[in-house]
Amino acid sequence: MRIVMASAEVSPFSKTGGLGDVAGSLPKHLRELGHEVIVITPRYSVVRENASCLSDMAGLRRTAIDFSIPVGKRMMPGALQRSQLPGSDVPVYFVENKHYFDRDGLYGTGGGHDNDYADNAERFIFFTRAVLEACRKLDFAPDVIHCNDWQTGLLPVYIRTTYGNMPEFANTASVFTIHNLVYQGNFWHWDMKLTGLDWYLFNWRHLEYFGNLNFMKGGIVFADVVSTVSKQYAKEIQSEEYGAGLNEILSDRSDDLFGIINGVDYSIWSPETDEHIAARYGPDDLSGKAECKAALQQAYNLPARDSGGPQKHGAPLIGIVSRLDKQKGFDIIADAIEGIMALDLQIVLLGTGDPQYHALFENLAERHPGKLGVNLTFDNALAHQIEAGADMFLMPSRYEPCGLNQLYSLKYGTVPIVRATGGLADTIIDATPDAIEGGTATGFSFEDYTPAELLATVRRAVETYSHRDVWARLVRHCMAQDWSWSRSANEYVDLYHVARSNVSRRRLAMP
Ligand code: ADP
């Protein structure tokens, strides 16, 4: 199959979260399965910086391709630059337009989705149409366009309207994957004029959502199939509690809605080969992990607490790497933190996001020197060092489409403590006495989203840690889990086939 992966972020060139990791790794695995894949993404300022650190093969090169795209009444110029995903021959095409993309952030000034740029509708209308223009100029008639999140939500709409009669897209199926339903690209109605789409589509069955233009809704309604990044989240988002206002639209498409868990790129996230960490290690010899823990404690200015003799191994070190957002459970962490800090443990945090949580953790770090270390930046190398050096990884999300950090943690023998929601529920088996006895446990999880449940679960993990043999067995079992892309990439190929078989069906009618 000829596949286009359209994504607003692609690691290692650009990334604010899990979407970047997926768009940077799934295409390589599709390629290994014999498919022809190209990736198309914006050329932000950060792309140039990141590409300059990569090998020559992954450096940025100009192409001779340029185009101009109608955005409202104006024609906006664009050009394509080219690179490839490191460790593969998968081409990555970067859509260049200095006005839209030469900025410090991807979506806003705060990193991630904080302080969104006021012209995001315009920026991603341009990008979306640029994806289709790029296919035409590259003479790449795709069998499937795989769209990701709200930034590409209008792609399935264009494929069925403005671009529907073009020969390049005559047989193109669209797949729309939701990585996070809460960020929807919800804009004021006059942005319809920038899309060039017919006002007829601005109605409750298509693009309109309570008077606004909703990109995510467009993707859900118009794509040939819709997917999200875990089976549990696919179920949850059809409920009012998790549906972020789009649950009924999603329920309407339940026959075409699938859940596929993200895979992990173990060429990047494995303690046996990781270049970012103090010492490499594997399941047969964990001495490197102890070195990583010592290095991490030093980096955060925390005292080493691991010298309690053969039967004891001191206090556990809990790692957190996250966007500082309510989604990730920081409201219950804030309420439970005094109780957690009273336990015999240390915590290191790496994160950026909501200023209220920046202030909270700065304050806590001052009050708990030697127990809590805080770094409020985005630092990829440090994220790896935390995965390797911590004993446990805390991720008590309110909702979690998939979650990648708990999967990375498993590989690094860093036992996840999670709330059982979305992808966390699908991937972590709670260490109940039976599960520990039967050797199936892969972490600690709780159901009710309350500070009390969180505290009780951390306490349970700390208690289990004090039993050295039990802990060692748990760590080994975590490290034996396999969440590589091999299974999920095959599931995506099946999904693409379903989407293609839906193309003929959908030709008969508008949604
Ligand atoms: P989400 O996509 O919701 O943010 P995921 O767990 O799916 O959550 O993916 C988060 C990704 O972003 C992981 O690769 C994680 O290591 C990375 N990440 C998050 N915050 C930071 C940070 N402050 N510094 C470095 N990496 C981070």
Side-chain angles (χ1 to χ4, degrees):
M1 268 184 284
R2 290 156 73 88
I3 302 159
V4 173
M5 182 70 60
S7 175
E9 47 191 275
V10 177
S11 180
F13 303 100
S14 58
K15 164 172 162 179
T16 71
L19 169 61
D21 288 345
V22 173
S25 52
L26 171 60
K28 292 196 271 190
H29 297 272
L30 294 169
R31 181 82 195 94
E32 278 166 20
L33 292 174
H35 302 286
E36 199 180 335
V37 196
I38 65 172
V39 182
I40 309 183
T41 190
R43 214 286 279 144
Y44 309 104
S45 318
V46 72
V47 167
R48 196 175 31 217
E49 292 154 36
N50 288 336
S52 68
C53 307
L54 300 169
S55 72
D56 278 357
M57 291 303 285
L60 275 186
R61 285 183 297 281
R62 300 208 161 276
T63 69
I65 296 174
D66 56 17
F67 38 75
S68 70
I69 287 174
V71 180
K73 289 203 173 113
R74 291 181 301 165
M75 293 302 287
M76 298 301 289
L80 284 188
Q81 295 191 14
R82 190 193 147 124
S83 178
Q84 58 197 50
L85 290 180
S88 78
D89 62 356
V90 175
V92 185
Y93 290 98
F94 296 92
V95 173
E96 198 182 12
N97 173 295
K98 287 195 168 51
H99 169 64
Y100 289 134
F101 301 126
D102 244 353
R103 305 186 186 185
D104 288 341
L106 271 55
Y107 316 126
T109 52
H113 276 93
D114 301 300
N115 298 328
D116 276 359
Y117 295 125
D119 59 349
N120 270 351
E122 187 175 338
R123 297 172 76 222
F124 288 100
I125 288 166
F126 174 82
F127 171 63
T128 301
R129 297 190 69 155
V131 170
L132 297 167
E133 292 301 333
C135 292
R136 299 178 68 200
K137 296 268 179 159
L138 289 164
D139 221 0
F140 192 92
D143 296 305
V144 174
I145 296 195
H146 188 160
C147 317
N148 296 278
D149 272 352
W150 71 265
Q151 299 91 333
T152 55
L154 293 186
L155 257 173
V157 187
Y158 284 121
I159 291 173
R160 295 182 68 172
T161 55
T162 322
Y163 291 76
N165 289 327
M166 296 183 182
E168 294 87 347
F169 306 113
N171 294 307
T172 302
S174 59
V175 171
F176 183 65
T177 298
I178 300 167
H179 297 260
N180 193 330
L181 184 63
V182 166
Y183 305 107
Q184 297 183 358
N186 207 19
F187 302 104
W188 79 326
H189 62 286
W190 287 118
D191 284 334
M192 264 307 278
K193 290 179 89 145
L194 302 177
T195 64
L197 293 166
D198 197 311
W199 274 102
Y200 155 75
L201 295 174
F202 194 72
N203 71 78
W204 66 273
R205 290 183 52 235
H206 294 133
L207 302 181
E208 184 261 350
Y209 181 76
F210 289 100
N212 285 324
L213 165 63
N214 189 304
F215 283 26
M216 177 76 88
K217 181 171 172 179
I220 295 169
V221 171
F222 281 83
D224 293 305
V225 296
V226 179
S227 77
T228 184
V229 286
S230 65
K231 293 194 175 23
Q232 178 67 16
Y233 192 61
K235 272 188 236 148
E236 287 171 351
I237 56 178
Q238 297 180 59
S239 71
E240 208 177 321
E241 185 183 354
Y242 291 96
L246 295 179
N247 42 302
E248 288 181 16
I249 310 285
L250 285 156
S251 299
D252 279 352
R253 297 229 53 192
S254 59
D255 287 348
D256 301 318
L257 174 60
F258 301 85
I260 301 177
I261 201 89
N262 291 334
V264 174
D265 189 338
Y266 288 131
S267 72
I268 297 170
W269 292 96
S270 165
E272 290 174 271
T273 51
D274 195 328
E275 294 293 332
H276 297 295
I277 63 181
R280 271 143 294 281
Y281 61 91
D284 299 331
D285 179 6
L286 287 163
S287 55
K289 185 162 178 67
E291 269 183 66
C292 291
K293 179 171 180 178
L296 184 60
Q297 285 166 319
Q298 205 172 13
Y300 273 91
N301 225 350
L302 301 177
R305 302 266 312 272
D306 245 14
S307 50
Q311 285 316 308
K312 290 179 138 187
H313 54 165
L317 177 57
I318 300 184
I320 304 174
V321 180
S322 181
R323 288 184 288 116
L324 299 183
D325 186 277
K326 238 167 68 176
Q327 175 202 338
K328 299 293 183 180
F330 285 100
D331 50 351
I332 57 170
I333 292 180
D335 287 344
I337 194 77
E338 290 303 339
I340 293 174
M341 294 315 300
L343 301 173
D344 186 22
L345 48 70
Q346 295 175 321
I347 297 183
V348 292
L349 172 127
L350 170 65
T352 53
D354 190 334
Q356 78 171 29
Y357 297 124
H358 281 233
L360 172 81
F361 281 105
E362 272 164 355
N363 180 287
L364 282 167
E366 270 175 36
R367 290 201 292 116
H368 298 281
K371 281 196 88 173
L372 173 64
V374 168
N375 184 321
L376 301 170
T377 64
F378 195 96
D379 183 335
N380 183 48
L382 189 54
H384 285 249
Q385 288 152 16
I386 292 176
E387 289 294 1
D391 299 297
M392 305 167 187
F393 192 93
L394 183 60
M395 204 167 168
S397 304
R398 175 186 289 268
Y399 69 92
E400 193 58 73
C402 174
L404 284 168
N405 276 312
Q406 84 280 15
L407 302 179
Y408 303 154
S409 299
L410 291 172
K411 188 71 177 169
Y412 286 78
T414 302
V415 181
I417 304 172
V418 304
R419 169 158 182 264
T421 181
L424 298 172
D426 282 358
T427 56
I428 301 301
I429 297 171
D430 186 31
T432 58
D434 280 354
I436 290 183
E437 187 62 36
T440 54
T442 54
F444 296 85
S445 75
F446 61 99
E447 299 272 338
D448 290 344
Y449 188 74
T450 61
E453 280 291 299
L454 166 62
L455 176 58
T457 309
V458 174
R459 189 175 281 133
R460 198 151 57 85
V462 171
E463 217 284 308
T464 310
Y465 182 81
S466 67
H467 302 282
R468 207 173 173 145
D469 293 350
V470 176
W471 192 260
R473 212 158 2 108
L474 181 56
V475 166
R476 269 200 302 278
H477 189 59
C478 287
M479 294 179 85
Q481 302 305 302
D482 179 4
W483 291 99
S484 58
W485 268 109
S486 42
R487 180 178 31 175
S488 295
N490 277 304
E491 286 186 44
Y492 271 111
V493 172
D494 293 344
L495 187 73
Y496 297 157
H497 286 303
V498 175
R500 293 186 69 195
S501 64
N502 281 358
V503 171
S504 43
R505 189 184 81 188
R506 59 114 150 140
R507 278 224 188 79
L508 302 174
M510 282 289 274

